Amino acid sequence: MFSAQPLIEHIRQRLWSEREFGRAAVMVGSGFSRNADPVSVGAGPFPLWSGLTSRMFDELYPPDALEPEERQRHRSNYVSSAGAARLADEYSTYRGRSALDELLLEAVPHKRYSPGILHNMLLTLPWADVFTTNWDTLLERAADLVYDRNYDVVISASDIPTQQQPRIVKLHGSFDSQRPFIVTEEDFRTYPVKFTPFVNLVQQSAMENALCLI
């Protein structure tokens, strides 16, 4: 027994509720992608927010642009997740949105990775919905390897009426197929209006299911 045991038991009961899929949904964040398996030695690690922020900051503020102490103070403004979104906004303003998209595509080496065992284990569970804010395609590729579950993939709002549960729902865009990649402060500010169907979908699922955050 451990402190979270009652919550684990609740999720277990909701997952196996005597129907095709359970009454539990899961939200998968960026850290889960670091469980992927590299397909080559030089694949490079999946970056966290701090890694993406460092890349953007170094391009906008190279070492010779500011005095070291001033540069360090300036960097500290972008340490939090809100600061990272603000920096992405700044990057998009000065370099252009397409340059920001290319930076993300280069920084996240998802094509040099295959889904790991935890991706496969996660999708063998009878989730009603799998929501993700990740841009990479690891979950979709893992779903192709899970033969006892048939996941539909929702990438755009127009997919919502036609794709059936269980679903993998890409809330923040998807590499190679759906832009914008939600990353800037402006993206997050306007998300409830521009992507109302996704907001409603998550809210509805949270009311109907136990929601597990990873």
Side-chain angles (χ1 to χ4, degrees):
M1 293 292 291
F2 58 102
S3 59
Q5 186 68 35
L7 298 176
I8 298 297
E9 181 64 20
H10 175 66
I11 293 171
R12 185 190 69 81
Q13 291 175 354
R14 296 302 295 270
L15 277 170
W16 282 275
S17 56
E18 298 183 358
R19 63 177 192 167
E20 181 184 356
F21 49 84
R23 295 186 180 276
V26 62
M27 177 75 76
V28 180
S30 60
F32 199 76
S33 294
R34 293 170 74 90
N35 295 299
D37 295 328
V39 298
S40 63
V41 175
F46 262 84
L48 297 176
W49 270 111
S50 57
L52 293 176
T53 301
S54 291
R55 267 187 90 141
M56 288 187 283
F57 185 87
D58 289 342
E59 288 192 26
L60 288 175
Y61 303 99
D64 58 352
L66 298 170
E67 292 296 324
E69 289 186 3
E70 182 182 359
R71 188 169 184 266
Q72 188 58 38
R73 284 197 302 270
H74 200 53
R75 184 190 289 272
S76 67
N77 294 326
Y78 304 114
V79 172
S80 66
S81 57
R86 193 165 59 250
L87 181 62
D89 225 352
E90 189 176 338
Y91 190 98
S92 178
T93 298
Y94 286 99
R95 295 293 181 91
R97 188 63 195 234
S98 60
L100 176 60
D101 290 345
E102 289 305 313
L103 181 146
L104 297 177
L105 286 165
E106 292 175 7
V108 183
H110 76 121
K111 289 185 176 179
R112 297 195 289 274
Y113 278 79
S114 60
I117 186 172
L118 291 185
H119 288 88
N120 296 325
M121 291 175 67
L122 179 73
L123 294 183
T124 59
L125 297 174
W127 303 106
D129 285 307
V130 178
F131 298 106
T132 182
T133 54
N134 297 345
W135 310 303
D136 63 65
T137 59
L138 291 166
L139 287 170
E140 300 97 297
R141 285 185 277 151
D144 291 337
L145 304 175
V146 177
Y147 301 110
D148 55 346
R149 307 259 178 245
N150 184 24
Y151 286 94
D152 282 352
V153 180
V154 175
I155 297 177
S156 67
S158 61
D159 294 329
I160 294 175
T162 58
Q163 304 298 78
Q164 303 297 312
Q165 291 177 309
R167 300 170 293 199
I168 295 173
V169 184
K170 306 295 289 289
L171 297 171
H172 285 180
S174 185
F175 284 159
D176 304 329
S177 58
Q178 184 65 32
R179 302 187 188 196
F181 310 135
I182 304 302
V183 63
T184 70
E185 186 176 52
E186 181 68 6
D187 291 337
F188 288 109
R189 187 185 70 81
T190 59
Y191 191 91
V193 175
K194 290 184 176 179
F195 297 93
T196 302
F198 280 121
V199 175
N200 292 341
L201 184 64
V202 174
Q203 289 176 338
Q204 182 69 26
S205 183
M207 287 189 293
E208 297 175 349
N209 304 296
L211 184 60
C212 179
L213 307 180
I214 300 181

